[in-house]
Amino acid sequence: MIERFSLLRNIGQFDSVSPPAAVAFTPFSFIYAENGRGKTTIAAILRSLSNGESGLITERQRLGSQHSPHIVIDYNGQQRVFQNGSWSNSSQEIVIFDDNFVAENVCSGIEVNTGHRQRLHELILGAQGVALNATLQSHISRIEQHNLDLKAKGEAIPATVRGPYSVLAFCKLNADPDIDTKILEAERRLAAAKSADTVRQRPLFTQIELPDFDIDTIANVLSQALPELEADAAARVRSHLNKLGKDGETWVADGMSRIGAASEGQSDEICPFCAQGLNTSTLIEHYRAYFSDAYGALKSTIRQTGIGVRDTHGGDIPAAFERAVRTASQNQEFWKNFTDVPEVSIDTAAISRDWASAREAVLEKLRAKAAAPLERMALGQPALDAIARYRERRDEVAALSNSLLECNAAISLVKEQSAADDLPSLTDDLSKLKAQKNRFDPIIEPHCTAYTDEVESKKATEALRDQSRSNLDQYRQQIFPAYEASINDFLRRFNAGFRIGQVASINTRAGSSASYCVIINQHNVNITSENGPSFKNTLSAGDRNTLALAFFFASLEQDQNLSQKIVVIDDPMTSLDEHRSLTTIQEMRRLFSRVSQMIVLSHSKPFLCNLWE
């Protein structure tokens, strides 16, 4: 309970007032004064004590005073002190009806604006509803802060890194251990689509191969001889033929073919040149063996084997091999941009050296055999080693060739896809893959984590907001109809010629507010209408004050802590007729029995006397 004003200094009409202890408040106190004597100042002081708004006092600093207001109020055995622009403690139990209440919650003169409806909304809600609404508004404010934080954290992730994704979609991307491979494949596929004509015309890989040496055949040729022609006999024949000079062997070979014709009709064979008998010649048998078909066949085999080695491993063959390698290398350089192709790492110079070494070693041996057909020979170890080195090179070439040929299936697929692929789609796919990789970059990932954490925090706050809104809506559904009924009950008691209807809560961008209409002669009057019937042209000053009193009393009816309230009423009968003044007195009497304390300020002695009685 407010017990007394111990000090009123430098405010309004009060210079420095310290009322004696005898001038104390009672549970039901009246303050009488003529206009301009400080009643409104007392009401403003008590309103400031209630809501802690220091401006209500500082704006009333006594004119001409050099010092700021200083107020001391005895309250429930303690002192509430206003000094240096603030209260030591406030007291929310005080509720006040005065011109300020009307101007805040009902109208300013004859106008009802958004601010009035918003404050009326809080008045209707009461302490419990205001708490619910405050909780809701705190969540809404927090969501707005979430949005600001999300914007800032989203801007920390560059758009160039996100590709086609929004910030949230980018942050939700999953890690892919194969992302680099997929990016490479996408880049190749896009490159192939961009070069579709060139890809279509580019040939596949062809086989690259090196000929082999038929060692078994060569060894067989080198090892052949003629048992019927001894080597020393053949040597004597060759020695004799050498004595005959140029074409001596051809001349003798022709003569041997004529022995049969020259000896026709003779008992023995004779020489076609001298017609002498050949029975006594020891050389003729050697001639027969030397110029036999078997010997000729042996020499031919040696010669053909040498020619075969020369034609297979010489001439244009090495050059053709180098061209094939060069072509394969060029194809590999092209196709590696579109698919996996092994490197063409062949040392053609080293291959040429080993190839020539093996070829010359074999031909050298065949030339020696051709010079001595009847002499049994074999490839020496140097030749075998040269062939072995060449065969190692040949195996390397074969392995590379097989690897390149295996790529032809993938290359054929590239050709097929490049002809059918859509460039914009491939570009978008590649952009998404790169963004997916960027998502887990060590520099970017912390920003994404901060963003997703903020998103989850916002979701949690939104859940709290939705629950708070649901709680508030349920409370509104109960309180607004009850408040409307209570107001109309008071209007009936005041014998007002109007009622209110459609009392409801509406949500706007500016915040929640109360909406209602005035019902006159069973017609709804829009309180904010600019044209036609409205609040300002249908209600008299007394009606507006009556409506304000109804709002005030109805709000107290809904207050669950009414018994603890201190009610301050300043000149409630302004513009009221005798009946409404009497009704106001009756309602105040009823209200007094339900509150902790009531203080009434008025300039009307009759009103206060009637209230006292």
Side-chain angles (χ1 to χ4, degrees), residues 329-562:
S329 180
Q330 292 171 350
N331 280 344
Q332 188 273 341
E333 191 68 24
F334 177 82
W335 289 119
K336 74 178 183 179
N337 297 316
F338 313 113
T339 187
D340 289 331
V341 182
E343 291 289 335
V344 180
S345 55
I346 295 178
D347 189 348
T348 55
I351 291 175
S352 296
R353 288 193 299 270
D354 291 341
W355 194 1
S357 177
R359 181 179 62 245
E360 289 305 315
V362 171
L363 289 177
E364 181 180 359
K365 206 65 177 177
L366 287 173
R367 285 193 289 269
K369 178 65 174 178
L374 300 180
E375 186 176 330
R376 297 181 184 275
M377 299 181 183
L379 288 171
Q381 193 60 44
L384 293 174
D385 291 343
I387 293 173
R389 289 192 298 272
Y390 169 74
R391 281 183 167 176
E392 289 178 2
R393 300 289 188 181
R394 182 174 179 272
D395 290 342
E396 293 175 5
V397 171
L400 174 62
S401 178
N402 291 335
S403 298
L404 294 175
L405 291 175
E406 289 174 357
C407 296
N408 283 341
I411 292 173
S412 297
L413 180 60
V414 169
K415 286 174 171 284
E416 181 181 346
Q417 290 176 338
S418 67
D421 277 336
D422 179 61
L423 279 175
S425 297
L426 292 177
T427 302
D428 185 61
D429 291 343
L430 178 59
S431 180
K432 288 179 178 179
L433 289 171
K434 289 183 175 180
Q436 188 174 6
K437 180 179 180 180
N438 292 338
R439 162 64 178 83
F440 297 94
D441 183 279
I443 297 176
I444 300 299
E445 187 169 10
H447 295 300
C448 292
T449 300
Y451 187 87
T452 53
D453 288 347
E454 191 67 33
V455 168
E456 293 304 314
S457 296
K458 180 184 175 183
K459 286 182 179 179
T461 306
E462 287 174 336
L464 294 174
R465 175 204 61 191
D466 294 343
Q467 183 60 52
S468 296
R469 179 172 287 139
S470 176
N471 295 339
L472 180 58
D473 288 343
Q474 291 177 9
Y475 180 79
R476 284 169 174 170
Q477 292 171 5
Q478 298 172 359
I479 199 67
F480 274 77
Y483 191 79
E484 180 179 334
S486 181
I487 289 175
N488 285 328
D489 184 46
F490 280 109
L491 291 175
R492 179 186 55 77
R493 297 179 196 176
F494 286 126
N495 198 28
F498 63 92
R499 300 289 183 270
I500 66 169
Q502 302 178 2
V503 179
S505 172
I506 58 174
N507 295 318
T508 65
R509 292 181 62 87
S512 299
S513 64
S515 172
Y516 65 96
C517 69
V518 175
I519 304 174
I520 301 176
N521 297 331
Q522 298 182 347
H523 286 82
N524 293 350
V525 176
N526 190 327
I527 61 174
T528 59
S529 176
E530 293 294 331
N531 300 310
S534 66
F535 185 89
K536 64 183 179 181
N537 57 33
T538 57
L539 297 184
S540 66
D543 287 337
R544 293 194 293 273
N545 202 55
T546 298
L547 180 61
L549 280 170
F551 280 154
F552 182 73
F553 285 128
S555 66
L556 293 177
E557 287 284 335
Q558 310 300 322
D559 194 334
Q560 297 179 349
N561 298 316
L562 183 59

Side-chain angles (χ1 to χ4, degrees), residues 168-408:
L168 181 59
F170 175 77
C171 292
K172 286 185 175 181
L173 292 173
N174 296 319
D176 187 344
D178 299 324
I179 191 64
D180 289 331
T181 300
K182 291 180 179 178
I183 289 176
L184 178 59
E185 291 175 353
E187 288 175 337
R188 288 172 171 175
R189 191 162 178 175
L190 178 60
K194 289 180 177 178
S195 307
D197 291 339
T198 306
V199 167
R200 177 173 50 81
Q201 296 172 6
R202 195 77 179 190
L204 302 175
F205 285 109
T206 57
Q207 188 170 6
I208 308 173
E209 57 182 346
L210 288 173
D212 195 9
F213 288 96
D214 189 350
I215 294 180
D216 292 339
T217 298
I218 294 171
N220 181 56
V221 170
L222 292 176
S223 65
Q224 286 185 21
L226 294 178
E228 61 273 20
L229 180 62
E230 296 178 356
D232 56 344
R236 287 197 298 274
V237 170
R238 285 196 299 273
S239 176
H240 180 72
L241 294 175
N242 289 334
K243 292 178 182 180
L244 296 178
K246 185 178 180 182
D247 298 329
E249 183 173 345
T250 302
W251 180 74
V252 174
D254 181 66
M256 289 295 295
S257 64
R258 298 176 184 276
I259 290 176
S263 302
E264 187 175 355
Q266 301 296 324
S267 58
D268 295 316
E269 290 181 331
I270 62 173
C271 175
F273 305 111
C274 64
Q276 295 182 16
L278 299 176
N279 292 335
T280 60
S281 174
T282 59
L283 192 59
I284 196 62
E285 293 302 323
H286 296 323
Y287 278 146
R288 291 184 189 280
Y290 188 85
F291 291 105
S292 67
D293 292 339
Y295 186 64
L298 174 59
K299 292 193 292 183
S300 176
T301 298
I302 295 171
R303 184 175 61 257
Q304 293 301 323
T305 300
I307 292 173
V309 171
R310 182 197 63 194
D311 291 347
T312 302
H313 297 276
D316 294 335
I317 301 301
F321 166 73
E322 291 187 359
R323 285 196 300 273
V325 172
R326 188 163 54 250
T327 299
S329 180
Q330 292 171 350
N331 280 344
Q332 188 273 341
E333 191 68 24
F334 177 82
W335 289 119
K336 74 178 183 179
N337 297 316
F338 313 113
T339 187
D340 289 331
V341 182
E343 291 289 335
V344 180
S345 55
I346 295 178
D347 189 348
T348 55
I351 291 175
S352 296
R353 288 193 299 270
D354 291 341
W355 194 1
S357 177
R359 181 179 62 245
E360 289 305 315
V362 171
L363 289 177
E364 181 180 359
K365 206 65 177 177
L366 287 173
R367 285 193 289 269
K369 178 65 174 178
L374 300 180
E375 186 176 330
R376 297 181 184 275
M377 299 181 183
L379 288 171
Q381 193 60 44
L384 293 174
D385 291 343
I387 293 173
R389 289 192 298 272
Y390 169 74
R391 281 183 167 176
E392 289 178 2
R393 300 289 188 181
R394 182 174 179 272
D395 290 342
E396 293 175 5
V397 171
L400 174 62
S401 178
N402 291 335
S403 298
L404 294 175
L405 291 175
E406 289 174 357
C407 296
N408 283 341

Side-chain angles (χ1 to χ4, degrees), residues 100-162:
N100 192 65
F101 173 87
V102 177
E104 284 189 349
N105 302 288
V106 185
C107 62
S108 296
I110 58 176
E111 298 292 337
V112 179
N113 58 37
T114 301
H116 295 127
R117 297 196 301 276
Q118 288 176 338
R119 286 186 287 272
L120 178 60
H121 182 270
E122 293 190 1
L123 182 68
I124 296 173
L125 289 180
Q128 179 182 355
V130 168
L132 291 173
N133 190 51
T135 301
L136 173 61
Q137 294 304 319
S138 69
H139 294 321
I140 292 174
S141 298
R142 181 62 187 132
I143 289 172
E144 292 176 353
Q145 185 60 47
H146 281 310
N147 290 332
L148 293 175
D149 293 341
L150 283 172
K151 182 180 179 182
K153 292 176 180 179
E155 290 174 348
I157 304 173
T160 54
V161 170
R162 294 187 280 108

